[in-house]
Each structure stands twice: as C-alpha cells, then as structure tokens.
Amino acid sequence: QVQLVESGGGLVQPGGSLRLSCAASGSIFSIYAMGWYRQAPGKQRELVATIDSGGSTDCAESVKGRFTISRDYAKKTVYLQMNSLNAEDTAVYYCKMGISTWYKKDDYWGQGTQVTVSS
C-alpha cells in the first residue's frame, strides 16, 4: 500500500516563506511524476507545480518566480518552496505522485496541508 504524507504547512505573514514536503512510502517500484496542487475555499483544485522523472519542472503562472518544486528521488520526497506568499496563496495544498507498484500504475494523493497567509 502506498501512502503520501505531507508536512510544512501553517500560518505565515504576507511576504513570508514556507517549505512543503511530501514523502511517499510503501511498495514502490518507481515514481514517474510528482506535483503539487491547491484548493482554496469555494474554488476548484488547481495545479501549482510539477516535476517529471527527468527533472523537468512546470508551474502555474500565478506562482512563477515565487514557488520552486524540487525532489529527492532517493527519499521519494517532493518539496515546494514558497516565497513572497500573499493572501491569494491561502489554500489546502496537496501533493500527487504517479507511482508504479508491482501490480499497478496509478496516481496517489496526500491528505493535504493547510497554508494560510494572513497578517
């Protein structure tokens, strides 16, 4: 069974920074994609940033220049460094990984971590 556990969320003042982490565990053969999504109250879940197995990254226009996605493949962990946070970044942040186990290939989600930007 595969599990994704997120950490690093919290309350931060506008202009501040946070670093989110998401670690996968279980019977994992390989991880072919990693990403972060977020969902603000009353809004649909949206893509924040992704990183593929080759290390190529992409991110939403709203976070370009402020957020950076990275990974430690050996630790099965993906990170999201968030700088210059503003109130519009307030949301529950979810990690997602495309993972191959011995019996299937599927997408897995973390439980979500709350990020609140407020003075």
Side-chain angles (χ1 to χ4, degrees):
Q1 186 174 356
V2 174
Q3 281 191 317
L4 272 57
V5 178
E6 299 158 0
S7 60
L11 173 65
V12 63
Q13 291 187 340
S17 298
L18 281 176
R19 189 192 194 207
L20 306 182
S21 300
C22 174
S25 62
S27 300
I28 298 170
F29 277 171
S30 65
I31 302 174
Y32 51 88
M34 297 174 165
W36 288 95
Y37 294 71
R38 67 185 181 186
Q39 187 166 18
K43 294 187 177 181
Q44 289 188 331
R45 190 173 298 188
E46 64 176 359
L47 173 69
V48 177
T50 59
I51 184 167
D52 66 18
S53 58
S56 296
T57 64
D58 194 14
C59 64
E61 285 294 326
S62 60
V63 306
K64 274 186 180 177
R66 301 187 298 123
F67 291 11
T68 303
I69 188 171
S70 62
R71 63 172 187 182
D72 184 329
Y73 196 82
K75 293 182 178 179
K76 301 183 182 65
T77 300
V78 62
Y79 306 96
L80 185 67
Q81 178 66 43
M82 305 185 293
N83 299 327
S84 302
L85 286 160
N86 57 59
E88 288 69 40
D89 296 316
T90 295
V92 178
Y93 284 70
Y94 300 89
C95 67
K96 174 182 158 183
M97 295 191 190
I99 292 174
S100 294
T101 64
W102 69 271
Y103 58 93
K104 70 174 180 177
K105 187 175 179 180
D106 206 349
D107 290 334
Y108 295 84
W109 290 87
Q111 80 284 1
T113 185
Q114 177 70 46
V115 171
T116 302
V117 184
S118 176
S119 56

